[in-house]
Amino acid sequence: MKKALFVLAHGSKAKEADETVEAIVEMLKAKDIEEFPFIGYGSLQISTPSFEEGIEDLVKKGVEEIVIVPMFLFKGNHIKLDIPEELEKLEKKYPQIRFVMGKHIGADSRIADIVEERGKEALVSAL
């Protein structure tokens, strides 16, 4: 079964936000993750590709199972309401695809490590 990892971003008017998502997707592709020979992405709002466009691209590549990981820190309305609503539409549109929803980013010790590292970098650059 062809599997894909799908990064779901919020979306933004800021070009830098789109570039950041694209850079993370490229990092994932470079990891050559055995479980996920395909990596896709899309945004819930504003940015392109949209959630639906990103999924459609993977479907065209013959992917049969898509694991969606929302790149959101908080479990707000997008996680609770909007994403499940959009996912339901996609499941109806692509009944042949198995969709699996991963957990949002949330509070993770790896993020705390990044915050610590950025703080230390700021101290060094302030000297």
Side-chain angles (χ1 to χ4, degrees):
M1 180 180 279
K2 290 183 179 179
K3 297 181 182 186
L5 178 62
F6 187 88
V7 177
L8 179 58
H10 182 276
S12 174
K13 291 179 183 177
K15 184 178 181 193
E16 182 183 353
D18 293 342
E19 291 169 350
T20 299
V21 173
E22 290 168 8
I24 290 169
V25 168
E26 288 306 313
M27 290 176 206
L28 288 165
K29 287 178 179 179
K31 291 170 78 73
D32 198 25
I33 305 166
E34 184 180 332
E35 294 86 352
F36 301 112
F38 296 89
I39 308 286
Y41 73 101
S43 295
L44 196 58
Q45 302 175 338
I46 305 165
S47 299
T48 57
S50 68
F51 189 8
E52 185 174 351
E53 291 166 340
I55 293 293
E56 183 179 328
D57 182 57
L58 291 172
V59 172
K60 286 179 181 176
K61 292 176 180 172
V63 169
E64 301 158 288
E65 182 174 19
I66 301 172
V67 177
I68 301 162
V69 177
M71 205 166 55
F72 289 68
L73 283 179
F74 311 104
K75 192 173 184 178
N77 284 335
H78 287 316
I79 297 293
K80 293 178 191 174
L81 305 171
D82 301 332
I83 294 171
E85 216 173 80
E86 291 301 312
L87 183 56
E88 189 176 324
K89 291 177 191 174
L90 290 168
E91 288 171 331
K92 286 179 181 170
K93 185 173 181 177
Y94 303 109
Q96 76 280 17
I97 305 297
R98 179 172 186 257
F99 291 97
V100 179
M101 181 58 70
K103 184 180 172 195
H104 67 288
I105 303 301
D108 187 300
S109 63
R110 292 167 290 186
I111 293 174
D113 292 342
I114 293 169
V115 172
E116 174 188 4
E117 184 178 314
R118 294 294 188 258
K120 289 177 180 176
E121 289 170 354
L123 284 177
V124 171
S125 67
L127 296 176

